[in-house]
Amino acid sequence: MLVVVPLAGATVTAQSIAAYLDGKIAKWWMPDDVVFVNALSYGATGKIQKMDLRRRFAGHYSSPVRSTE
């Protein structure tokens, strides 16, 4: 998953990002999904708070429990 904060007034889509990345990075690095957010949270040292992102998107890829019976 790729989390994107678009610049003010920018028109960007998941398809345009995928088209830009195609050929620039390995196929297995291509994001499965692109999520647009208004802002990211930063810590006191200026680093992105990855734990906050993990909590925020914890259920993003979770699938319903399937019975094997």
Side-chain angles (χ1 to χ4, degrees):
M1 173 173 48
L2 174 65
V3 179
V4 177
V5 180
L7 296 174
T11 305
V12 63
T13 64
Q15 293 81 15
S16 66
I17 291 173
Y20 175 78
L21 293 175
D22 190 35
K24 291 183 173 56
I25 62 173
K27 293 285 184 197
W28 59 87
W29 283 3
M30 290 293 282
D32 297 327
D33 195 11
V34 178
V35 178
F36 296 92
V37 296
N38 293 327
L40 297 173
S41 57
Y42 295 90
T45 60
K47 295 180 180 178
I48 294 172
Q49 296 293 298
K50 290 185 280 186
M51 291 301 291
D52 182 47
L53 287 174
R54 288 182 184 122
R55 275 192 299 274
R56 189 171 172 185
F57 297 106
H60 189 75
Y61 285 115
S62 64
S63 59
V65 177
R66 295 182 183 152
S67 174
T68 57
E69 296 177 25

